[in-house]
Amino acid sequence: MQQANWHSNRSGKSGVILLVEDHDLYREVVRAALARYLPEYELLEADCVAAALPVLHSRPIDVMVVDMTLPDGSAIDLVEQCGGFIQQGTKVIVLSSHSRADMLPVLSRSDVHGYVSKEQGLKKLAETITSISTTEVTESNASKEMTLEKAL
């Protein structure tokens, strides 16, 4: 069943995460963990590629966490269908139970910004989201500083 959900603690959010995971129970566990580890983020959910695409079109997404294997495709299928969003700054983390060695073709893609094995745990996922978001802010600030220096 195609499903997309919005979750928020209604406080001022610093970012938006789209979680695309087809297993309901695991998605609930991830939601609870991310709410605990990253309360400053708003969490949106989808259970397949088809449900994720309208969410991407509805609002800006900072980080997409996508299960590698979905009922109607893969994380790469979703990444390829939303390339414009990635060019606009959406970061992609692939979440999978596949080994890192099996994931090498996926990890070598420039439009995939991180990989977390489900066995590594959800704290590692939160750390990866934070790391990617911090990198984006640092790069953005560096770009602004270079522009300011050129203007002076």
Side-chain angles (χ1 to χ4, degrees):
M1 175 170 91
Q2 291 181 13
Q3 176 181 333
N5 296 314
W6 279 252
H7 299 279
S8 172
N9 68 10
R10 302 193 197 306
S11 65
K13 297 296 182 175
S14 68
V16 179
I17 299 169
L18 172 59
L19 171 64
V20 185
E21 168 63 56
D22 59 316
H23 293 99
D24 295 337
L25 185 59
Y26 188 70
R27 195 172 57 248
E28 288 177 28
V29 170
V30 174
R31 177 188 329 125
L34 292 181
R36 178 175 172 231
Y37 292 127
L38 302 172
E40 68 276 14
Y41 282 86
E42 181 176 0
L43 181 64
L44 310 178
E45 301 174 28
D47 64 356
C48 63
V49 172
L53 291 171
V55 176
L56 284 162
H57 288 284
S58 71
R59 60 186 305 180
I61 303 295
D62 297 297
V63 179
M64 261 194 331
V65 177
V66 186
D67 187 10
M68 185 60 202
T69 306
L70 297 163
D72 59 348
S74 69
I76 298 312
D77 294 329
L78 179 57
V79 165
E80 289 177 350
Q81 291 182 50
C82 68
F85 296 102
I86 294 168
Q87 290 175 351
Q88 294 172 6
T90 299
K91 303 294 183 185
V92 177
I93 298 172
V94 175
L95 183 64
S96 178
S97 56
H98 297 287
S99 72
R100 183 171 278 284
D102 291 341
M103 297 297 293
L104 282 178
V106 172
L107 299 177
S108 66
R109 295 177 60 105
S110 63
D111 50 6
V112 173
H113 306 94
Y115 166 74
V116 177
S117 166
K118 290 181 179 179
E119 289 80 30
Q120 289 177 290
L122 297 175
K123 186 173 184 180
K124 176 65 175 173
L125 176 60
E127 290 168 355
T128 303
I129 291 168
T130 300
S131 173
I132 286 174
S133 298
T134 302
T135 301
E136 179 180 308
V137 169
T138 302
E139 288 173 357
S140 176
N141 288 343
S143 175
K144 287 177 188 175
E145 288 174 12
M146 290 173 68
T147 301
L148 182 60
E149 287 175 12
K150 286 180 184 177
L152 297 175

